[in-house]
Amino acid sequence: MDQKSVWIGTSWKMNKGPAEAIAAARALESFQPPKGIRSFVIPPFTSLRDVCSVLEDSALLVGAQNMHWEDSGAWTGEVSAPMIAECGASIVEIGHSERRQHFGETDWTVNLKVRAALRHGLRSLICIGDTAEEFEFGVSQETLARQVKIALHGVSRKDLGQVMIAYEPVWAIGSAGRPAEASFVSGIHTKLRAVVRELAGDTGVRIPLLYGGSVSQANIRDYVALPDVDGVFVGRAAWEPADFMTLVESVSGVVSRKIAA
Ligand SMILES: O=C(CO)[C@H](O)COP(=O)(O)O
C-alpha cells in the first residue's frame, strides 16, 4: 500500500437497489481521483457483484459492508469472505457502529472477521468508535485502544499492510450526529497512531487512519489536513456520485501539500 495515499471512501449503507446502484457505479466509472488519493465505494450486497463489474477497470476500489468469519456453513443471512472476493471486491468494512449497536457485533467478532478477511486477501477497514457516554466520561482513548488491540490480536505484522482503521465517533454519525472538532480528531488520531505503531513494531507499516462521522464539504479539508488523518470515510454527503466526486476533488490541494511534506 502506498504509505502516503489519502483514502476517501463512502458506504452507501442500506441505500440504492440494484438499478440505482448500477447507475451510480456507471456515473463513477470514468472518475479519476486527483494524484495521491485512493477512493472506494461500498454498496449493499445486492449490488456488490454488479458494482464490482462496472468499476472493474476504474480507479475506484469496491468493498463490502460486512462479512461472516466462517468461509461457509449454516449461517443464515450471512456472507463470507470468499463470496465477497468472488464478487470482485477488494475491501471489507468490519465493525461499523451500526453493526455493533443493532446486530450484536463485538470486538471479539471483529477480530474473527479481520483474520478471515486477511486470509482471503481482502483489505480490512476496521471501524472503531466511542459512544457519547464514553466521550462524556473521558474514556474515548482507552475505548479506542482496546478496540484496535482486540481487532488486531493475532494478525501478523505482514498482514497489517492490508489493514485500514476508520475512527467514527458514534456521536458524530448520521443526521443526528455532530461532526467531531478537528482538534479532537487530531488528538485521537495521534494516540491511535502510537497504538498501531506499537503493534506494527519495526515493520515500518503505516496503517491508514481514516476519520468518519458527518464528513461534508464544509469540513473535509480540515480533517484531511491533519497529520495523522490518512483519509475520510463518508456517508450521507457522498451517497450521490456527483457529491462524492466533488468531495474527492475538493481536497486535491490539501493532499498535494500533505504528500509533498
Ligand atoms: O459509515 C460511515 C461512512 O460511510 C459513517 O457512518 C458516517 O456516516 P455519515 O455520518 O452519514 O457521514
Side-chain angles (χ1 to χ4, degrees), residues 1-2 5 7 38 40 42 61-64 67 84 89-94 113-114 116-126 159-165 206 208:
M1 183 189 308
D2 178 346
S5 299
W7 292 83
R38 301 194 70 177
F40 60 91
I42 301 185
L61 299 175
V62 181
M67 59 172 270
I84 290 167
S90 57
I91 297 171
V92 58
E93 173 186 358
I94 298 171
K113 293 180 180 184
V114 168
L118 294 170
R119 270 201 309 276
H120 292 282
L122 294 172
R123 199 185 295 268
S124 298
L125 175 61
I126 302 168
D159 283 344
L160 289 176
Q162 292 302 308
V163 168
M164 300 192 285
I165 292 171
R206 180 185 173 90

PDB file of all heavy atoms in Angstrom, residues 1-2 5 7 38 40 42 61-64 67 84 89-94 113-114 116-126 159-165 206 208:
ATOM      1  N   MET A   1       0.860  -1.198   0.000  1.00  0.00           N
ATOM      2  CA  MET A   1       0.000   0.000   0.000  1.00  0.00           C
ATOM      3  C   MET A   1       0.893   1.243   0.000  1.00  0.00           C
ATOM      4  O   MET A   1       1.861   1.315   0.733  1.00  0.00           O
ATOM      5  CB  MET A   1      -0.883  -0.007   1.257  1.00  0.00           C
ATOM      6  CG  MET A   1      -1.881   1.143   1.335  1.00  0.00           C
ATOM      7  SD  MET A   1      -2.707   1.225   2.931  1.00  0.00           S
ATOM      8  CE  MET A   1      -3.327  -0.421   3.166  1.00  0.00           C
ATOM      9  N   ASP A   2       0.559   2.194  -0.817  1.00  0.00           N
ATOM     10  CA  ASP A   2       1.302   3.451  -0.852  1.00  0.00           C
ATOM     11  C   ASP A   2       1.197   4.112   0.530  1.00  0.00           C
ATOM     12  O   ASP A   2       0.128   4.444   0.997  1.00  0.00           O
ATOM     13  CB  ASP A   2       0.657   4.339  -1.927  1.00  0.00           C
ATOM     14  CG  ASP A   2       1.340   5.697  -1.996  1.00  0.00           C
ATOM     15  OD1 ASP A   2       2.106   6.037  -1.067  1.00  0.00           O
ATOM     16  OD2 ASP A   2       1.101   6.414  -2.962  1.00  0.00           O
ATOM     17  N   SER A   5      -0.718   7.613   0.549  1.00  0.00           N
ATOM     18  CA  SER A   5      -2.029   7.849  -0.068  1.00  0.00           C
ATOM     19  C   SER A   5      -2.988   8.451   0.936  1.00  0.00           C
ATOM     20  O   SER A   5      -2.869   8.239   2.137  1.00  0.00           O
ATOM     21  CB  SER A   5      -2.618   6.519  -0.552  1.00  0.00           C
ATOM     22  OG  SER A   5      -1.797   5.936  -1.517  1.00  0.00           O
ATOM     23  N   TRP A   7      -6.986   8.268   1.612  1.00  0.00           N
ATOM     24  CA  TRP A   7      -8.130   7.427   1.257  1.00  0.00           C
ATOM     25  C   TRP A   7      -9.426   8.195   1.452  1.00  0.00           C
ATOM     26  O   TRP A   7      -9.636   8.815   2.505  1.00  0.00           O
ATOM     27  CB  TRP A   7      -8.138   6.180   2.128  1.00  0.00           C
ATOM     28  CG  TRP A   7      -7.011   5.238   1.849  1.00  0.00           C
ATOM     29  CD1 TRP A   7      -5.729   5.311   2.327  1.00  0.00           C
ATOM     30  CD2 TRP A   7      -7.052   4.093   0.997  1.00  0.00           C
ATOM     31  NE1 TRP A   7      -4.972   4.273   1.842  1.00  0.00           N
ATOM     32  CE2 TRP A   7      -5.771   3.510   1.016  1.00  0.00           C
ATOM     33  CE3 TRP A   7      -8.053   3.485   0.233  1.00  0.00           C
ATOM     34  CZ2 TRP A   7      -5.451   2.357   0.304  1.00  0.00           C
ATOM     35  CZ3 TRP A   7      -7.740   2.328  -0.478  1.00  0.00           C
ATOM     36  CH2 TRP A   7      -6.459   1.787  -0.446  1.00  0.00           C
ATOM     37  N   ARG A  38      -6.756   7.737  -3.047  1.00  0.00           N
ATOM     38  CA  ARG A  38      -7.324   6.436  -3.393  1.00  0.00           C
ATOM     39  C   ARG A  38      -8.771   6.418  -2.912  1.00  0.00           C
ATOM     40  O   ARG A  38      -9.044   6.797  -1.766  1.00  0.00           O
ATOM     41  CB  ARG A  38      -6.519   5.305  -2.747  1.00  0.00           C
ATOM     42  CG  ARG A  38      -5.068   5.316  -3.171  1.00  0.00           C
ATOM     43  CD  ARG A  38      -4.366   4.033  -2.822  1.00  0.00           C
ATOM     44  NE  ARG A  38      -4.844   2.922  -3.667  1.00  0.00           N
ATOM     45  CZ  ARG A  38      -4.345   1.691  -3.590  1.00  0.00           C
ATOM     46  NH1 ARG A  38      -3.404   1.421  -2.701  1.00  0.00           N
ATOM     47  NH2 ARG A  38      -4.793   0.741  -4.377  1.00  0.00           N
ATOM     48  N   PHE A  40     -12.830   4.641  -2.767  1.00  0.00           N
ATOM     49  CA  PHE A  40     -13.587   3.381  -2.794  1.00  0.00           C
ATOM     50  C   PHE A  40     -15.049   3.650  -2.483  1.00  0.00           C
ATOM     51  O   PHE A  40     -15.387   4.639  -1.832  1.00  0.00           O
ATOM     52  CB  PHE A  40     -12.996   2.359  -1.805  1.00  0.00           C
ATOM     53  CG  PHE A  40     -12.986   2.790  -0.365  1.00  0.00           C
ATOM     54  CD1 PHE A  40     -14.061   2.493   0.480  1.00  0.00           C
ATOM     55  CD2 PHE A  40     -11.897   3.475   0.177  1.00  0.00           C
ATOM     56  CE1 PHE A  40     -14.048   2.876   1.813  1.00  0.00           C
ATOM     57  CE2 PHE A  40     -11.878   3.863   1.510  1.00  0.00           C
ATOM     58  CZ  PHE A  40     -12.956   3.558   2.328  1.00  0.00           C
ATOM     59  N   ILE A  42     -18.674   1.432  -1.197  1.00  0.00           N
ATOM     60  CA  ILE A  42     -19.128   0.194  -0.556  1.00  0.00           C
ATOM     61  C   ILE A  42     -20.645   0.097  -0.702  1.00  0.00           C
ATOM     62  O   ILE A  42     -21.392   0.738   0.047  1.00  0.00           O
ATOM     63  CB  ILE A  42     -18.714   0.162   0.932  1.00  0.00           C
ATOM     64  CG1 ILE A  42     -17.182   0.270   1.068  1.00  0.00           C
ATOM     65  CG2 ILE A  42     -19.243  -1.109   1.598  1.00  0.00           C
ATOM     66  CD1 ILE A  42     -16.652   0.131   2.477  1.00  0.00           C
ATOM     67  N   LEU A  61     -11.870   1.452  -5.920  1.00  0.00           N
ATOM     68  CA  LEU A  61     -11.976   0.117  -5.340  1.00  0.00           C
ATOM     69  C   LEU A  61     -13.406  -0.061  -4.836  1.00  0.00           C
ATOM     70  O   LEU A  61     -14.125   0.920  -4.593  1.00  0.00           O
ATOM     71  CB  LEU A  61     -10.987  -0.046  -4.187  1.00  0.00           C
ATOM     72  CG  LEU A  61      -9.498   0.109  -4.538  1.00  0.00           C
ATOM     73  CD1 LEU A  61      -8.652   0.050  -3.264  1.00  0.00           C
ATOM     74  CD2 LEU A  61      -9.056  -0.963  -5.517  1.00  0.00           C
ATOM     75  N   VAL A  62     -13.814  -1.319  -4.687  1.00  0.00           N
ATOM     76  CA  VAL A  62     -15.152  -1.625  -4.199  1.00  0.00           C
ATOM     77  C   VAL A  62     -15.040  -2.502  -2.963  1.00  0.00           C
ATOM     78  O   VAL A  62     -14.169  -3.381  -2.887  1.00  0.00           O
ATOM     79  CB  VAL A  62     -15.993  -2.341  -5.269  1.00  0.00           C
ATOM     80  CG1 VAL A  62     -17.414  -2.632  -4.746  1.00  0.00           C
ATOM     81  CG2 VAL A  62     -16.074  -1.497  -6.548  1.00  0.00           C
ATOM     82  N   GLY A  63     -15.916  -2.227  -1.989  1.00  0.00           N
ATOM     83  CA  GLY A  63     -15.887  -3.007  -0.756  1.00  0.00           C
ATOM     84  C   GLY A  63     -17.245  -3.536  -0.378  1.00  0.00           C
ATOM     85  O   GLY A  63     -18.272  -3.175  -0.965  1.00  0.00           O
ATOM     86  N   ALA A  64     -17.236  -4.385   0.660  1.00  0.00           N
ATOM     87  CA  ALA A  64     -18.465  -4.942   1.228  1.00  0.00           C
ATOM     88  C   ALA A  64     -18.676  -4.356   2.613  1.00  0.00           C
ATOM     89  O   ALA A  64     -17.723  -3.960   3.273  1.00  0.00           O
ATOM     90  CB  ALA A  64     -18.365  -6.466   1.319  1.00  0.00           C
ATOM     91  N   MET A  67     -19.164  -8.994   6.847  1.00  0.00           N
ATOM     92  CA  MET A  67     -18.898 -10.380   6.429  1.00  0.00           C
ATOM     93  C   MET A  67     -18.994 -11.297   7.645  1.00  0.00           C
ATOM     94  O   MET A  67     -18.982 -10.826   8.799  1.00  0.00           O
ATOM     95  CB  MET A  67     -17.500 -10.524   5.813  1.00  0.00           C
ATOM     96  CG  MET A  67     -16.389 -10.127   6.756  1.00  0.00           C
ATOM     97  SD  MET A  67     -14.754 -10.519   6.117  1.00  0.00           S
ATOM     98  CE  MET A  67     -14.560 -12.175   6.786  1.00  0.00           C
ATOM     99  N   ILE A  84     -17.355 -12.610  -1.034  1.00  0.00           N
ATOM    100  CA  ILE A  84     -17.070 -11.195  -1.301  1.00  0.00           C
ATOM    101  C   ILE A  84     -15.931 -11.080  -2.312  1.00  0.00           C
ATOM    102  O   ILE A  84     -16.004 -10.315  -3.277  1.00  0.00           O
ATOM    103  CB  ILE A  84     -16.735 -10.477   0.022  1.00  0.00           C
ATOM    104  CG1 ILE A  84     -17.992 -10.364   0.893  1.00  0.00           C
ATOM    105  CG2 ILE A  84     -16.116  -9.107  -0.240  1.00  0.00           C
ATOM    106  CD1 ILE A  84     -17.699  -9.960   2.331  1.00  0.00           C
ATOM    107  N   ALA A  89     -14.812  -7.744  -4.979  1.00  0.00           N
ATOM    108  CA  ALA A  89     -14.489  -6.682  -4.013  1.00  0.00           C
ATOM    109  C   ALA A  89     -13.077  -6.882  -3.466  1.00  0.00           C
ATOM    110  O   ALA A  89     -12.569  -8.007  -3.395  1.00  0.00           O
ATOM    111  CB  ALA A  89     -15.498  -6.692  -2.876  1.00  0.00           C
ATOM    112  N   SER A  90     -12.447  -5.785  -3.058  1.00  0.00           N
ATOM    113  CA  SER A  90     -11.083  -5.886  -2.503  1.00  0.00           C
ATOM    114  C   SER A  90     -10.998  -5.359  -1.078  1.00  0.00           C
ATOM    115  O   SER A  90      -9.948  -5.478  -0.433  1.00  0.00           O
ATOM    116  CB  SER A  90     -10.107  -5.100  -3.384  1.00  0.00           C
ATOM    117  OG  SER A  90     -10.525  -3.736  -3.480  1.00  0.00           O
ATOM    118  N   ILE A  91     -12.084  -4.774  -0.594  1.00  0.00           N
ATOM    119  CA  ILE A  91     -12.139  -4.203   0.759  1.00  0.00           C
ATOM    120  C   ILE A  91     -13.352  -4.787   1.475  1.00  0.00           C
ATOM    121  O   ILE A  91     -14.386  -5.067   0.838  1.00  0.00           O
ATOM    122  CB  ILE A  91     -12.282  -2.664   0.682  1.00  0.00           C
ATOM    123  CG1 ILE A  91     -11.066  -2.022   0.018  1.00  0.00           C
ATOM    124  CG2 ILE A  91     -12.484  -2.061   2.083  1.00  0.00           C
ATOM    125  CD1 ILE A  91     -11.249  -0.529  -0.285  1.00  0.00           C
ATOM    126  N   VAL A  92     -13.233  -4.950   2.779  1.00  0.00           N
ATOM    127  CA  VAL A  92     -14.428  -5.275   3.568  1.00  0.00           C
ATOM    128  C   VAL A  92     -14.411  -4.430   4.845  1.00  0.00           C
ATOM    129  O   VAL A  92     -13.399  -4.335   5.545  1.00  0.00           O
ATOM    130  CB  VAL A  92     -14.524  -6.784   3.903  1.00  0.00           C
ATOM    131  CG1 VAL A  92     -13.325  -7.302   4.653  1.00  0.00           C
ATOM    132  CG2 VAL A  92     -15.810  -7.072   4.672  1.00  0.00           C
ATOM    133  N   GLU A  93     -15.518  -3.750   5.049  1.00  0.00           N
ATOM    134  CA  GLU A  93     -15.737  -2.924   6.253  1.00  0.00           C
ATOM    135  C   GLU A  93     -16.163  -3.851   7.382  1.00  0.00           C
ATOM    136  O   GLU A  93     -17.048  -4.702   7.199  1.00  0.00           O
ATOM    137  CB  GLU A  93     -16.835  -1.916   5.922  1.00  0.00           C
ATOM    138  CG  GLU A  93     -17.332  -1.080   7.048  1.00  0.00           C
ATOM    139  CD  GLU A  93     -18.522  -0.214   6.625  1.00  0.00           C
ATOM    140  OE1 GLU A  93     -18.936  -0.239   5.444  1.00  0.00           O
ATOM    141  OE2 GLU A  93     -19.045   0.495   7.503  1.00  0.00           O
ATOM    142  N   ILE A  94     -15.530  -3.708   8.521  1.00  0.00           N
ATOM    143  CA  ILE A  94     -15.815  -4.607   9.648  1.00  0.00           C
ATOM    144  C   ILE A  94     -15.991  -3.789  10.921  1.00  0.00           C
ATOM    145  O   ILE A  94     -15.176  -2.911  11.207  1.00  0.00           O
ATOM    146  CB  ILE A  94     -14.652  -5.607   9.836  1.00  0.00           C
ATOM    147  CG1 ILE A  94     -14.496  -6.496   8.593  1.00  0.00           C
ATOM    148  CG2 ILE A  94     -14.882  -6.479  11.072  1.00  0.00           C
ATOM    149  CD1 ILE A  94     -13.236  -7.354   8.601  1.00  0.00           C
ATOM    150  N   LYS A 113     -13.434 -11.700  12.188  1.00  0.00           N
ATOM    151  CA  LYS A 113     -13.705 -11.284  10.808  1.00  0.00           C
ATOM    152  C   LYS A 113     -12.459 -10.699  10.143  1.00  0.00           C
ATOM    153  O   LYS A 113     -12.167 -10.991   8.979  1.00  0.00           O
ATOM    154  CB  LYS A 113     -14.851 -10.262  10.787  1.00  0.00           C
ATOM    155  CG  LYS A 113     -16.197 -10.852  11.205  1.00  0.00           C
ATOM    156  CD  LYS A 113     -17.312  -9.833  11.170  1.00  0.00           C
ATOM    157  CE  LYS A 113     -18.642 -10.435  11.592  1.00  0.00           C
ATOM    158  NZ  LYS A 113     -19.771  -9.466  11.482  1.00  0.00           N
ATOM    159  N   VAL A 114     -11.705  -9.916  10.905  1.00  0.00           N
ATOM    160  CA  VAL A 114     -10.481  -9.324  10.341  1.00  0.00           C
ATOM    161  C   VAL A 114      -9.526 -10.425   9.897  1.00  0.00           C
ATOM    162  O   VAL A 114      -8.989 -10.410   8.781  1.00  0.00           O
ATOM    163  CB  VAL A 114      -9.804  -8.400  11.366  1.00  0.00           C
ATOM    164  CG1 VAL A 114      -8.396  -8.007  10.915  1.00  0.00           C
ATOM    165  CG2 VAL A 114     -10.652  -7.149  11.596  1.00  0.00           C
ATOM    166  N   ALA A 116     -10.234 -13.480   9.134  1.00  0.00           N
ATOM    167  CA  ALA A 116     -10.788 -14.220   7.988  1.00  0.00           C
ATOM    168  C   ALA A 116     -10.632 -13.403   6.708  1.00  0.00           C
ATOM    169  O   ALA A 116     -10.263 -13.927   5.652  1.00  0.00           O
ATOM    170  CB  ALA A 116     -12.264 -14.533   8.234  1.00  0.00           C
ATOM    171  N   ALA A 117     -10.890 -12.110   6.801  1.00  0.00           N
ATOM    172  CA  ALA A 117     -10.760 -11.240   5.626  1.00  0.00           C
ATOM    173  C   ALA A 117      -9.329 -11.269   5.102  1.00  0.00           C
ATOM    174  O   ALA A 117      -9.092 -11.429   3.895  1.00  0.00           O
ATOM    175  CB  ALA A 117     -11.174  -9.813   5.984  1.00  0.00           C
ATOM    176  N   LEU A 118      -8.367 -11.158   6.000  1.00  0.00           N
ATOM    177  CA  LEU A 118      -6.966 -11.141   5.588  1.00  0.00           C
ATOM    178  C   LEU A 118      -6.560 -12.488   4.998  1.00  0.00           C
ATOM    179  O   LEU A 118      -5.775 -12.546   4.051  1.00  0.00           O
ATOM    180  CB  LEU A 118      -6.080 -10.762   6.772  1.00  0.00           C
ATOM    181  CG  LEU A 118      -6.267  -9.326   7.281  1.00  0.00           C
ATOM    182  CD1 LEU A 118      -5.530  -9.120   8.602  1.00  0.00           C
ATOM    183  CD2 LEU A 118      -5.829  -8.304   6.238  1.00  0.00           C
ATOM    184  N   ARG A 119      -7.122 -13.567   5.531  1.00  0.00           N
ATOM    185  CA  ARG A 119      -6.832 -14.904   4.982  1.00  0.00           C
ATOM    186  C   ARG A 119      -7.231 -14.972   3.510  1.00  0.00           C
ATOM    187  O   ARG A 119      -6.634 -15.682   2.713  1.00  0.00           O
ATOM    188  CB  ARG A 119      -7.604 -15.978   5.745  1.00  0.00           C
ATOM    189  CG  ARG A 119      -6.910 -16.575   6.942  1.00  0.00           C
ATOM    190  CD  ARG A 119      -7.488 -17.943   7.340  1.00  0.00           C
ATOM    191  NE  ARG A 119      -8.936 -17.951   7.496  1.00  0.00           N
ATOM    192  CZ  ARG A 119      -9.571 -17.583   8.614  1.00  0.00           C
ATOM    193  NH1 ARG A 119      -8.870 -17.139   9.652  1.00  0.00           N
ATOM    194  NH2 ARG A 119     -10.893 -17.636   8.707  1.00  0.00           N
ATOM    195  N   HIS A 120      -8.273 -14.223   3.163  1.00  0.00           N
ATOM    196  CA  HIS A 120      -8.787 -14.255   1.790  1.00  0.00           C
ATOM    197  C   HIS A 120      -8.367 -13.054   0.963  1.00  0.00           C
ATOM    198  O   HIS A 120      -8.960 -12.749  -0.068  1.00  0.00           O
ATOM    199  CB  HIS A 120     -10.312 -14.407   1.823  1.00  0.00           C
ATOM    200  CG  HIS A 120     -10.731 -15.762   2.341  1.00  0.00           C
ATOM    201  ND1 HIS A 120     -10.697 -16.901   1.566  1.00  0.00           N
ATOM    202  CD2 HIS A 120     -11.151 -16.162   3.569  1.00  0.00           C
ATOM    203  CE1 HIS A 120     -11.092 -17.937   2.293  1.00  0.00           C
ATOM    204  NE2 HIS A 120     -11.363 -17.514   3.507  1.00  0.00           N
ATOM    205  N   GLY A 121      -7.333 -12.357   1.427  1.00  0.00           N
ATOM    206  CA  GLY A 121      -6.759 -11.287   0.617  1.00  0.00           C
ATOM    207  C   GLY A 121      -7.583 -10.031   0.535  1.00  0.00           C
ATOM    208  O   GLY A 121      -7.403  -9.204  -0.364  1.00  0.00           O
ATOM    209  N   LEU A 122      -8.522  -9.869   1.463  1.00  0.00           N
ATOM    210  CA  LEU A 122      -9.349  -8.654   1.469  1.00  0.00           C
ATOM    211  C   LEU A 122      -8.743  -7.618   2.396  1.00  0.00           C
ATOM    212  O   LEU A 122      -8.315  -7.933   3.508  1.00  0.00           O
ATOM    213  CB  LEU A 122     -10.775  -8.986   1.933  1.00  0.00           C
ATOM    214  CG  LEU A 122     -11.600  -9.885   1.003  1.00  0.00           C
ATOM    215  CD1 LEU A 122     -12.908 -10.268   1.693  1.00  0.00           C
ATOM    216  CD2 LEU A 122     -11.869  -9.203  -0.328  1.00  0.00           C
ATOM    217  N   ARG A 123      -8.683  -6.387   1.939  1.00  0.00           N
ATOM    218  CA  ARG A 123      -8.217  -5.288   2.777  1.00  0.00           C
ATOM    219  C   ARG A 123      -9.295  -5.012   3.826  1.00  0.00           C
ATOM    220  O   ARG A 123     -10.469  -4.870   3.487  1.00  0.00           O
ATOM    221  CB  ARG A 123      -8.006  -4.046   1.891  1.00  0.00           C
ATOM    222  CG  ARG A 123      -7.121  -2.974   2.480  1.00  0.00           C
ATOM    223  CD  ARG A 123      -7.110  -1.775   1.552  1.00  0.00           C
ATOM    224  NE  ARG A 123      -6.501  -2.063   0.268  1.00  0.00           N
ATOM    225  CZ  ARG A 123      -5.199  -1.870   0.005  1.00  0.00           C
ATOM    226  NH1 ARG A 123      -4.399  -1.463   0.963  1.00  0.00           N
ATOM    227  NH2 ARG A 123      -4.695  -2.095  -1.186  1.00  0.00           N
ATOM    228  N   SER A 124      -8.913  -4.968   5.075  1.00  0.00           N
ATOM    229  CA  SER A 124      -9.885  -4.813   6.171  1.00  0.00           C
ATOM    230  C   SER A 124      -9.985  -3.360   6.607  1.00  0.00           C
ATOM    231  O   SER A 124      -8.993  -2.764   7.033  1.00  0.00           O
ATOM    232  CB  SER A 124      -9.462  -5.668   7.365  1.00  0.00           C
ATOM    233  OG  SER A 124      -9.456  -7.031   7.015  1.00  0.00           O
ATOM    234  N   LEU A 125     -11.174  -2.811   6.487  1.00  0.00           N
ATOM    235  CA  LEU A 125     -11.435  -1.464   7.001  1.00  0.00           C
ATOM    236  C   LEU A 125     -12.138  -1.630   8.344  1.00  0.00           C
ATOM    237  O   LEU A 125     -13.339  -1.898   8.414  1.00  0.00           O
ATOM    238  CB  LEU A 125     -12.301  -0.673   6.019  1.00  0.00           C
ATOM    239  CG  LEU A 125     -12.762   0.705   6.481  1.00  0.00           C
ATOM    240  CD1 LEU A 125     -11.584   1.629   6.766  1.00  0.00           C
ATOM    241  CD2 LEU A 125     -13.666   1.332   5.419  1.00  0.00           C
ATOM    242  N   ILE A 126     -11.368  -1.519   9.409  1.00  0.00           N
ATOM    243  CA  ILE A 126     -11.887  -1.758  10.756  1.00  0.00           C
ATOM    244  C   ILE A 126     -12.483  -0.474  11.309  1.00  0.00           C
ATOM    245  O   ILE A 126     -11.799   0.554  11.399  1.00  0.00           O
ATOM    246  CB  ILE A 126     -10.766  -2.249  11.691  1.00  0.00           C
ATOM    247  CG1 ILE A 126     -10.139  -3.537  11.150  1.00  0.00           C
ATOM    248  CG2 ILE A 126     -11.316  -2.472  13.103  1.00  0.00           C
ATOM    249  CD1 ILE A 126      -8.850  -3.930  11.848  1.00  0.00           C
ATOM    250  N   ASP A 159       0.519  -8.888   7.559  1.00  0.00           N
ATOM    251  CA  ASP A 159      -0.861  -8.595   7.138  1.00  0.00           C
ATOM    252  C   ASP A 159      -1.336  -7.204   7.549  1.00  0.00           C
ATOM    253  O   ASP A 159      -2.341  -6.706   7.031  1.00  0.00           O
ATOM    254  CB  ASP A 159      -1.807  -9.651   7.712  1.00  0.00           C
ATOM    255  CG  ASP A 159      -1.724 -10.963   6.931  1.00  0.00           C
ATOM    256  OD1 ASP A 159      -1.190 -10.937   5.805  1.00  0.00           O
ATOM    257  OD2 ASP A 159      -2.180 -11.995   7.471  1.00  0.00           O
ATOM    258  N   LEU A 160      -0.626  -6.564   8.463  1.00  0.00           N
ATOM    259  CA  LEU A 160      -1.052  -5.217   8.883  1.00  0.00           C
ATOM    260  C   LEU A 160      -1.046  -4.244   7.702  1.00  0.00           C
ATOM    261  O   LEU A 160      -1.743  -3.238   7.703  1.00  0.00           O
ATOM    262  CB  LEU A 160      -0.148  -4.699  10.000  1.00  0.00           C
ATOM    263  CG  LEU A 160      -0.317  -5.381  11.366  1.00  0.00           C
ATOM    264  CD1 LEU A 160       0.725  -4.835  12.341  1.00  0.00           C
ATOM    265  CD2 LEU A 160      -1.734  -5.212  11.899  1.00  0.00           C
ATOM    266  N   GLY A 161      -0.266  -4.568   6.672  1.00  0.00           N
ATOM    267  CA  GLY A 161      -0.240  -3.707   5.486  1.00  0.00           C
ATOM    268  C   GLY A 161      -1.547  -3.728   4.718  1.00  0.00           C
ATOM    269  O   GLY A 161      -1.755  -2.901   3.836  1.00  0.00           O
ATOM    270  N   GLN A 162      -2.427  -4.675   5.041  1.00  0.00           N
ATOM    271  CA  GLN A 162      -3.745  -4.766   4.386  1.00  0.00           C
ATOM    272  C   GLN A 162      -4.862  -4.319   5.323  1.00  0.00           C
ATOM    273  O   GLN A 162      -6.030  -4.689   5.128  1.00  0.00           O
ATOM    274  CB  GLN A 162      -3.990  -6.216   3.934  1.00  0.00           C
ATOM    275  CG  GLN A 162      -3.064  -6.648   2.811  1.00  0.00           C
ATOM    276  CD  GLN A 162      -3.184  -5.752   1.580  1.00  0.00           C
ATOM    277  OE1 GLN A 162      -4.280  -5.509   1.072  1.00  0.00           O
ATOM    278  NE2 GLN A 162      -2.050  -5.199   1.147  1.00  0.00           N
ATOM    279  N   VAL A 163      -4.502  -3.549   6.341  1.00  0.00           N
ATOM    280  CA  VAL A 163      -5.493  -3.078   7.314  1.00  0.00           C
ATOM    281  C   VAL A 163      -5.627  -1.562   7.227  1.00  0.00           C
ATOM    282  O   VAL A 163      -4.632  -0.848   7.038  1.00  0.00           O
ATOM    283  CB  VAL A 163      -5.061  -3.474   8.744  1.00  0.00           C
ATOM    284  CG1 VAL A 163      -5.898  -2.758   9.806  1.00  0.00           C
ATOM    285  CG2 VAL A 163      -5.135  -4.986   8.926  1.00  0.00           C
ATOM    286  N   MET A 164      -6.832  -1.081   7.311  1.00  0.00           N
ATOM    287  CA  MET A 164      -7.114   0.340   7.492  1.00  0.00           C
ATOM    288  C   MET A 164      -8.052   0.465   8.686  1.00  0.00           C
ATOM    289  O   MET A 164      -8.806  -0.482   8.993  1.00  0.00           O
ATOM    290  CB  MET A 164      -7.810   0.937   6.253  1.00  0.00           C
ATOM    291  CG  MET A 164      -7.005   0.831   4.975  1.00  0.00           C
ATOM    292  SD  MET A 164      -7.718   1.855   3.666  1.00  0.00           S
ATOM    293  CE  MET A 164      -9.137   0.882   3.216  1.00  0.00           C
ATOM    294  N   ILE A 165      -7.995   1.581   9.362  1.00  0.00           N
ATOM    295  CA  ILE A 165      -8.858   1.811  10.524  1.00  0.00           C
ATOM    296  C   ILE A 165      -9.646   3.099  10.296  1.00  0.00           C
ATOM    297  O   ILE A 165      -9.070   4.107   9.863  1.00  0.00           O
ATOM    298  CB  ILE A 165      -8.028   1.912  11.817  1.00  0.00           C
ATOM    299  CG1 ILE A 165      -7.400   0.548  12.153  1.00  0.00           C
ATOM    300  CG2 ILE A 165      -8.898   2.375  12.995  1.00  0.00           C
ATOM    301  CD1 ILE A 165      -6.394   0.585  13.297  1.00  0.00           C
ATOM    302  N   ARG A 206       2.565   1.561   7.819  1.00  0.00           N
ATOM    303  CA  ARG A 206       1.731   2.666   8.297  1.00  0.00           C
ATOM    304  C   ARG A 206       0.304   2.303   8.006  1.00  0.00           C
ATOM    305  O   ARG A 206      -0.113   2.259   6.855  1.00  0.00           O
ATOM    306  CB  ARG A 206       2.105   3.981   7.578  1.00  0.00           C
ATOM    307  CG  ARG A 206       1.268   5.182   8.017  1.00  0.00           C
ATOM    308  CD  ARG A 206       1.611   6.417   7.188  1.00  0.00           C
ATOM    309  NE  ARG A 206       0.733   7.547   7.467  1.00  0.00           N
ATOM    310  CZ  ARG A 206       0.956   8.473   8.392  1.00  0.00           C
ATOM    311  NH1 ARG A 206       2.051   8.379   9.145  1.00  0.00           N
ATOM    312  NH2 ARG A 206       0.123   9.489   8.586  1.00  0.00           N
ATOM    313  N   PRO A 208      -3.310   3.084   7.533  1.00  0.00           N
ATOM    314  CA  PRO A 208      -4.098   4.310   7.305  1.00  0.00           C
ATOM    315  C   PRO A 208      -5.186   4.472   8.353  1.00  0.00           C
ATOM    316  O   PRO A 208      -5.918   3.531   8.658  1.00  0.00           O
ATOM    317  CB  PRO A 208      -4.712   4.091   5.915  1.00  0.00           C
ATOM    318  CG  PRO A 208      -3.801   3.113   5.249  1.00  0.00           C
ATOM    319  CD  PRO A 208      -3.345   2.204   6.348  1.00  0.00           C
TER     320      PRO A 208
END
